[in-house]
């Protein structure tokens, strides 16, 4: 895998997406690939852009601030990692979609930042489906109330839901998490009347399963850019 170019890896991912869509009887045009470029340099982003990718994901505001100015200017950037309230202004400025809104206070801060910048801000609510695993994300029972309140915020446009299941050794164990997010989405749409058209789930090792379970966005890093140099820090960057 290490001898492959980024363009070759992207080609393989496109084939995997097409195969998963064929199995799930879905139109590949309904599945959107985000290249998660965290820890990788602008030249890798440029290479992926030359291979036709337009949407890139970062998990840290600081890294994105340093990187985006050195990348091609026509790309769309998404925040896929946890967002701290003191960085909301930068995030609202840089990102076209924030995947990780996980509290009403954060959504209110996003609304204020959107107001200051005169910008409608697209967000996904991050859901902690299992109540275990990742420490971020709303618990299922808090979601309808947050959805109703966030829907009243004039600058916030809720597009859907995101989840990050706990890491599993066995691939098959992830499917119930993805399926549950889709079922919760259907239920909460009915309950609140807030449309939630976009799901964000699936990464390098499990995106086919997410496609089969109805995802809109897949967030793929390693399978495009190769292994990251160091492990992700478990705690956030400011501590
Ligand atoms: C790093 C990251 C990804 C991509 O993970 P890979 O396993 O490298 O594909 C996806 N989503 C989030 C939130 C991430 O932090």
């Amino acid at each position: 895998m290490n001898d492959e170019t980024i363009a070759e890896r992207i080609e393989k991912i496109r084939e995997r997406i097409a195969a998963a869509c064929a199995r799930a009887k879905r139109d590949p045009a309904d599945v959107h690939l985000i290249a998660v470029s965290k820890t990788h340099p602008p030249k890798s982003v440029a290479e992926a852009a030359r291979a036709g990718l337009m949407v890139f994901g970062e998990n840290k505001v600081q890294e994105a601030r340093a990187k985006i100015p050195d990348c091609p200017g026509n790309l769309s950037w998404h925040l896929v990692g946890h967002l701290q309230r003191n960085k909301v202004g930068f995030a609202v400025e840089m990102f076209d979609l924030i995947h990780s809104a996980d509290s009403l206070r954060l959504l209110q801060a996003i609304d204020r930042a959107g107001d200051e910048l005169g910008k409608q801000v697209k967000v996904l609510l991050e859901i902690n489906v299992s109540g275990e695993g990742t420490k971020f994300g709303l618990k299922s029972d808090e979601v309808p109330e947050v959805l109703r309140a966030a829907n009243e915020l004039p600058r916030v446009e809720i597009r859907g839901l995101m989840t990050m299941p706990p890491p599993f050794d066995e691939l098959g164990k992830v499917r119930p998490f993805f399926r549950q997010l889709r079922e919760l989405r259907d239920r909460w749409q009915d309950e609140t009347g807030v449309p939630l058209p976009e799901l964000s789930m699936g990464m390098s090792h499990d995106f086919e399963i997410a496609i089969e379970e109805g995802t809109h966005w897949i967030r793929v890093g390693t399978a495009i850019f190769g292994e990251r140099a160091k492990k992700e820090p478990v705690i956030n960057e400011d501590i």
Side-chain angles (χ1 to χ4, degrees):
M1 166 155 183
N2 283 334
D3 304 337
E4 283 173 328
T5 65
I6 286 174
E8 286 165 347
R9 293 191 193 125
I10 291 170
E11 192 44 45
K12 280 194 183 157
I13 290 164
R14 290 199 172 109
E15 286 165 12
R16 286 171 63 187
I17 292 171
C21 286
R23 278 198 302 280
K25 299 191 168 48
R26 295 190 60 192
D27 182 348
D30 295 335
V31 176
H32 302 268
L33 173 61
I34 303 167
V36 179
S37 51
K38 64 189 184 195
T39 78
H40 295 287
K43 75 169 170 38
S44 299
V45 171
E47 218 178 312
R50 278 196 299 278
L53 299 193
M54 295 295 296
V55 185
F56 289 78
E58 287 287 329
N59 71 333
K60 288 183 184 149
V61 169
Q62 258 150 335
E63 187 182 338
R65 282 184 76 196
K67 187 182 297 182
I68 292 174
D70 294 332
C71 293
N74 58 340
L75 306 177
S76 175
W77 291 89
H78 289 193
L79 181 67
V80 299
H82 183 66
L83 176 57
Q84 290 163 290
R85 257 182 302 142
N86 61 1
K87 300 207 175 69
V88 160
F90 294 119
V92 165
E93 221 176 324
M94 286 188 295
F95 294 107
D96 294 326
L97 182 63
I98 294 171
H99 289 234
S100 46
D102 64 356
S103 73
L104 185 56
R105 286 180 78 192
L106 181 65
L107 286 155
Q108 288 162 339
I110 290 171
D111 182 58
R112 282 193 297 276
D115 207 39
E116 276 164 29
L117 291 161
K119 183 175 175 180
Q120 296 304 116
V121 192
K122 295 189 175 75
V123 302
L124 306 178
L125 298 189
E126 181 172 356
I127 310 298
N128 191 338
V129 168
S130 58
E132 56 181 69
T134 61
K135 59 180 176 154
F136 300 120
L138 289 156
K139 309 256 184 322
S140 302
D141 57 2
E142 353 174 54
V143 174
E145 202 182 317
V146 171
L147 257 180
R148 286 192 189 94
N151 198 41
E152 301 296 315
L153 299 171
R155 291 295 186 175
V156 171
E157 187 184 333
I158 301 168
R159 300 292 307 164
L161 308 174
M162 178 270 219
T163 200
M164 182 105 168
F168 292 113
D169 303 334
E170 262 176 84
L171 199 50
K173 288 192 175 156
V174 80
R175 187 183 297 276
F177 287 81
F178 292 162
R179 182 165 299 171
Q180 223 180 316
L181 189 70
R182 170 165 52 82
E183 289 169 355
L184 286 167
R185 184 270 304 272
D186 295 346
R187 166 142 60 89
W188 292 332
Q189 277 190 155
D190 287 349
E191 242 176 82
T192 65
V194 180
L196 301 167
E198 299 176 12
L199 298 178
S200 167
M201 52 191 196
M203 315 193 335
S204 289
H205 62 290
D206 59 13
F207 69 74
E208 284 103 332
I209 298 174
I211 290 171
E212 289 168 18
E213 297 300 330
T215 198
H216 176 98
W217 298 106
I218 57 174
R219 311 181 306 264
V220 179
T222 310
I224 293 174
F225 296 107
E227 292 294 332
R228 286 180 288 275
K230 57 181 171 57
K231 247 185 108 55
E232 294 298 301
V234 179
I235 49 177
N236 76 50
E237 66 211 69
D238 282 344
I239 296 174

